[in-house]
Amino acid sequence: MAEMIKLIESDSPSLKLKLSPCSKDLNRMELKMKLVEHMRYYQGIGLSANQIGIMERVFVMYSDVKKKEVIVCFNPNIISVSPKKTLMDEGCLTFPGLWLKVSRPESIEVEYEDVHGKKTKVFMYGLEARVFLHEYDHMEGKNFTDGVSRLKLDMAKKKQKKALIKAQIYKEQEEEREKQMKFGQSLIV
């Protein structure tokens, strides 16, 4: 496994920039592999290049979460969105532990380039559409907190803080258990 790049902090100005089309000399295959590896390492279902500091208009995502089928979308565009919207909990690797109810179109028609530069036009529905739109927002310099009221965001941040504290306590307890197990094993020898 290559060394993992740390995720960009949520308040970084670089995440507010609208990205230009991909560089002409971009090694697409290398970037695809790096993004897929980072998405899996951080246990996400999508990852935009700018989330790890690469300012290229590209993201990876699971087109089928259950089957772990990955697609890479270079220079993505949204052709159309359904008028019907769905409200659903949404999170983001850039905002660990933060969950918000976000309304998004139920289905979309999109176009993107693959690693070879070939354009693909696809109709997406449900979770697949939601993930595409979430990652596309990163390309546009937006994030999933932008469309939520200040009150809802503040309430979610309080829950996030509690969840992160619980996670830290759990991690410390697990580390202590491991130390005790190793200590116990050394006494048995």
Side-chain angles (χ1 to χ4, degrees), residues 17-35:
L17 299 174
K18 182 175 179 173
L19 300 175
S20 301
C22 291
S23 307
K24 298 284 184 218
D25 61 345
L26 178 64
N27 183 332
R28 290 181 176 216
M29 186 57 77
E30 184 180 302
L31 183 52
K32 172 192 174 181
M33 300 310 290
K34 183 178 281 193
L35 290 174

Side-chain angles (χ1 to χ4, degrees), residues 65-131:
V65 175
K66 290 179 182 163
K67 294 180 183 175
K68 302 284 188 201
E69 292 174 1
V70 176
I71 59 171
V72 59
C73 303
F74 291 89
N75 299 320
N77 286 306
I78 298 170
I79 297 168
S80 65
V81 298
S82 70
K84 187 174 182 185
K85 296 192 177 239
T86 305
L87 187 67
M88 192 172 153
D89 280 332
E90 199 168 304
C92 181
L93 293 173
T94 302
F95 297 84
L98 184 66
W99 291 92
L100 298 167
K101 292 227 180 269
V102 178
S103 179
R104 294 203 186 263
E106 194 172 89
S107 61
I108 55 176
E109 185 177 8
V110 300
E111 182 180 70
Y112 58 88
E113 298 168 11
D114 66 12
V115 291
H116 308 292
K118 181 182 171 217
K119 286 198 175 191
T120 303
K121 199 182 268 192
V122 180
F123 178 80
M124 295 180 173
Y125 180 84
L127 182 60
E128 182 183 23
R130 178 170 294 275
V131 175

Side-chain angles (χ1 to χ4, degrees), residues 1-71:
M1 178 187 289
E3 190 172 328
M4 293 294 112
I5 300 169
K6 187 176 182 233
L7 291 168
I8 299 297
E9 295 290 327
S10 61
D11 59 355
S12 172
S14 66
L15 294 177
K16 293 291 184 186
L17 299 174
K18 182 175 179 173
L19 300 175
S20 301
C22 291
S23 307
K24 298 284 184 218
D25 61 345
L26 178 64
N27 183 332
R28 290 181 176 216
M29 186 57 77
E30 184 180 302
L31 183 52
K32 172 192 174 181
M33 300 310 290
K34 183 178 281 193
L35 290 174
V36 169
E37 189 174 24
H38 279 75
M39 176 181 71
R40 289 181 174 150
Y41 176 80
Y42 287 114
Q43 300 177 348
I45 58 174
L47 182 70
S48 172
N50 61 344
Q51 287 180 277
I52 57 170
I54 300 170
M55 302 309 283
E56 295 287 350
R57 194 171 180 86
V58 58
F59 62 82
V60 292
M61 62 174 272
Y62 286 121
S63 60
D64 187 322
V65 175
K66 290 179 182 163
K67 294 180 183 175
K68 302 284 188 201
E69 292 174 1
V70 176
I71 59 171

